[in-house]
Amino acid sequence: VEAKEEGNRALRAGNLSAAAHAYAHALRLLEHHPRRELEVEVRSNLALALLRAGSLREAAEQADHARALAPLKPKPAFRHAQVMRAQGNLPEAAASFWEAWRNGGGARAKEEFEACVAGAR
């Protein structure tokens, strides 16, 4: 949990390398003491750090892994959508933003879905 919080602090400060390192460390710790919900949060946050750093392939891998662990949670779907949009895949981004909204992701997920649909036309 401490490594995740360290990653969160680094991400908020804009230190993407430190954030990615802390989240990766948290994942290594979780290998010995699995906690699915925490792993979903860490992988989702790592996906965001990698996305902001421009590492789209790695961000997609982390977002996909988080989605597989928690297919009904909005945050992993939202992260996947952000990565798909950054890769220029607006139809896939729209589908994932819709999924996030449908699963309780809130108004922002719906707004992002609508923006992707409008951009894909």
Side-chain angles (χ1 to χ4, degrees):
V1 174
E2 179 57 33
K4 176 188 174 269
E5 293 305 319
E6 181 182 329
N8 291 349
R9 286 189 296 275
L11 187 60
R12 280 191 297 274
N15 189 340
L16 304 177
S17 177
H21 178 74
Y23 292 136
H25 179 66
L27 289 174
R28 285 191 300 279
L29 294 173
L30 285 168
E31 289 176 4
H32 303 289
H33 305 286
R35 291 177 48 197
R36 182 177 292 253
E37 189 67 31
L38 183 57
E39 183 177 352
V40 169
E41 290 291 319
V42 170
R43 288 188 184 281
S44 294
N45 291 355
L46 178 55
L48 179 60
L50 292 166
L51 172 64
R52 288 182 179 172
S55 299
L56 299 182
R57 184 180 56 76
E58 293 89 351
E61 290 172 3
Q62 293 302 323
D64 288 345
H65 199 113
R67 279 177 78 197
L69 289 170
L72 298 178
K73 294 284 186 181
K75 188 174 185 177
F78 194 89
R79 290 292 183 253
H80 180 261
Q82 290 176 304
V83 174
M84 292 300 101
R85 181 178 51 204
Q87 290 178 335
N89 188 342
L90 292 181
E92 180 70 20
S96 292
F97 279 128
W98 176 260
E99 177 185 331
W101 178 72
R102 185 187 67 212
N103 290 326
R108 182 166 176 220
K110 186 177 181 193
E111 291 167 5
E112 296 291 348
F113 162 74
E114 291 169 348
C116 283
V117 169
R121 289 185 184 154

